[in-house]
Amino acid sequence: MKTIDELLAEGVTGKRVFVRADLNVPLANGEITDDGRIRAVQPTIAKLAEAGARVIVASHLGRPKGAPDPAFSLAPAAKRLGELLGTDVAFATDTVGASAKETVAALADGKVAVIENLRFNAGETAKDDAERGAFADRLAELADVYVGDGFGAVHRKHASVFDLPARLPHAAGYLIATEVGVLKKLTDEVKRPYVVVLGGAKVSDKLAVIDQLLGKADRILIGGGMAYTFLYAKGHEVGISLLQKDQVDVVKEYMERAAKSGVELVLPVDVLVSGDFPDLKTKAPADFETVDADKIPADKEGLDIGPKTRELYASKIADAETVFWNGPVGVFEHPDYAGGTRAVAQALVDSDAFTVVGGGDSAAAVRTLGFDENAFGHISTGGGASLEYLEGKTLPGLAALEG
């Protein structure tokens, strides 16, 4: 795929460059709680602006239902981008309407504008090719060149990700180039031992990647809500913990495959349990106890890995050459259940391995728990995109940039 440096060498002064970014940041009461994704795309936007381009930044945020919704406005992201760039960033209050056209027309060389949430238009996510294409046509009218740098969205066949690059000269931004380079180190150029840590709530979200990793990883450490389906598949009582009974047979098959192929599949040996889900708003002290993973009371729910498991997982990471981590191993949003996720993050920091934190909640956890991002080899901006790449799937956004 064409790189942004190649594009810059051709000259972009005075050109309208459409940057498909990922500004899908978490918000609380209209305030950004984690600006990591904005900071990740900043180098691409800054470089284009320095080269004299008229930069039009577009993104989705959340899941609005194809119509404007103030709760999902990109206005806070546009404001934060301006702060990071140290310059005024114009904001269009629609995607392809009068405001977008006027805002883009008013851009001077080297200036930046953000248009409103792409998903406020149903054409962005439409499954119908014609409807999606019609929206891409209208977006294309705003620009002369396309730069794809929203890695967190490249696994989506959406108008701004898949259809728009076909309508304009296009190149990959710095973030996408970095993300793809990192993922190649997890697939084609792996240094061993290769350890994968998988957490998160649902095992069904990770089955496809586990299927692929059983032939590639040396060890797979399981935590989070998904661990309880594995424990149940081993015949253990899991109380009222998260459980996907419809996935138990598949999990049993994977455990058998791991044993036959020599992949070490590691499950929690102890967990923190409670009869009440923690209050994540006030973060009031939780009432919990630590029990062996095969002795979870019938009326209790597992909410974090226990101290023995933390030590076990750290030991399994210590000698790794490559570590990929996707998904917190407990309810890290509450301080009483953040210990397991903190222990995993610390183990990655302490290792000499090439470490990759796989986006989404894992990246948020690292920042929330106060870790220095530079202590990790790479923090991905796209959890879902990373997983689908590791599953061996063709990602529409990357395919479009290669076309």
Side-chain angles (χ1 to χ4, degrees):
M1 65 180 70
K2 189 174 186 177
T3 68
I4 189 172
D5 286 331
E6 291 172 321
L7 177 67
L8 290 166
E10 295 172 357
V12 294
T13 302
K15 290 185 178 179
R16 300 170 302 164
V17 181
F18 187 104
V19 178
R20 198 342 177 151
D22 180 8
L23 308 181
N24 185 27
V25 291
L27 297 170
N29 300 317
E31 297 292 325
I32 296 170
T33 58
D34 181 359
D35 67 357
R37 283 177 170 161
I38 303 176
R39 286 186 287 110
V41 76
Q42 178 190 349
T44 291
I45 297 169
K47 196 73 172 181
L48 287 166
E50 288 169 11
R54 302 177 183 188
V55 187
I56 306 146
V57 183
S59 176
H60 69 287
L61 192 152
R63 296 181 182 273
K65 302 185 184 299
D69 183 338
F72 297 106
S73 174
L74 278 174
K79 178 183 176 184
R80 180 59 181 146
L81 177 61
E83 293 169 350
L84 292 168
L85 292 172
T87 186
D88 289 336
V89 169
F91 182 67
T93 56
D94 58 27
T95 56
V96 291
S99 179
K101 291 175 182 177
E102 291 168 7
T103 301
V104 171
L107 273 179
D109 294 358
K111 293 299 183 179
V112 180
V114 174
I115 62 174
E116 187 55 284
N117 192 334
L118 292 164
R119 291 185 184 174
F120 284 2
N121 189 304
E124 169 68 0
T125 59
K127 302 214 181 292
D128 179 75
D129 291 349
E131 184 181 354
R132 227 179 37 249
F135 182 50
D137 287 339
R138 296 184 70 187
L139 289 172
E141 292 173 2
L142 298 174
D144 304 304
V145 181
Y146 177 94
V147 171
D149 215 26
F151 181 74
V154 293
H155 59 313
R156 306 294 188 191
K157 193 176 181 181
H158 291 170
S160 66
V161 176
F162 179 73
D163 301 273
L164 185 55
R167 288 157 168 79
L168 295 170
H170 51 267
Y174 292 122
L175 175 60
I176 279 186
T178 299
E179 294 274 13
V180 171
V182 165
L183 289 168
K184 285 182 177 177
K185 291 185 179 181
L186 299 179
T187 52
D188 304 330
E189 308 158 7
V190 182
K191 291 185 178 180
R192 299 181 180 281
Y194 179 19
V195 178
V196 176
V197 185
L198 294 177
K202 294 182 178 180
V203 69
S204 57
D205 292 341
K206 306 287 167 65
L207 287 178
V209 76
I210 294 172
D211 181 55
Q212 286 291 316
L213 290 170
L214 283 174
K216 295 176 181 175
D218 297 298
R219 298 176 200 136
I220 302 176
L221 317 182
I222 304 291
M226 62 183 288
Y228 301 101
T229 300
F230 279 85
L231 292 171
Y232 186 87
K234 288 189 71 173
H236 300 328
E237 167 70 58
V238 297
I240 57 172
S241 305
L242 282 172
L243 173 63
Q244 290 185 283
K245 284 190 176 181
D246 61 330
Q247 303 296 337
V248 169
D249 288 342
V250 179
V251 166
K252 284 181 179 178
E253 179 198 338
Y254 283 2
M255 290 193 292
E256 291 170 3
R257 278 178 55 196
K260 289 177 181 177
S261 60
V263 176
E264 198 176 353
L265 191 62
V266 188
L267 301 178
V269 294
D270 63 343
V271 295
L272 271 59
V273 299
S274 176
D276 295 306
F277 194 82
D279 186 333
L280 299 180
K281 289 186 177 180
T282 66
K283 294 182 172 55
D287 179 20
F288 65 88
E289 61 179 315
T290 303
V291 300
D292 290 342
D294 61 351
K295 295 182 175 60
I296 298 175
D299 61 345
K300 296 294 176 70
E301 176 179 11
L303 296 166
D304 194 12
I305 58 172
K308 292 179 183 176
T309 305
R310 296 170 197 176
E311 291 183 13
L312 172 64
Y313 285 10
S315 72
K316 298 295 183 181
I317 292 168
D319 67 342
E321 289 291 332
T322 304
V323 183
F324 173 68
W325 172 30
N326 181 280
V329 296
V331 185
F332 77 91
E333 297 90 343
H334 191 285
D336 290 336
Y337 300 111
T341 300
R342 180 180 287 106
V344 169
Q346 189 63 55
L348 266 67
V349 170
D350 292 342
S351 78
D352 294 324
F354 174 64
T355 56
V356 179
V357 180
D361 289 339
S362 308
V366 163
R367 298 183 185 107
T368 299
L369 298 175
F371 285 90
D372 181 357
E373 293 179 43
N374 295 320
F376 303 89
H378 180 68
I379 297 180
S380 177
T381 57
S386 297
L387 289 178
E388 291 199 14
Y389 189 101
L390 294 179
E391 289 166 20
K393 292 183 177 179
T394 297
L395 305 187
L398 296 185
L401 291 174
E402 290 166 352

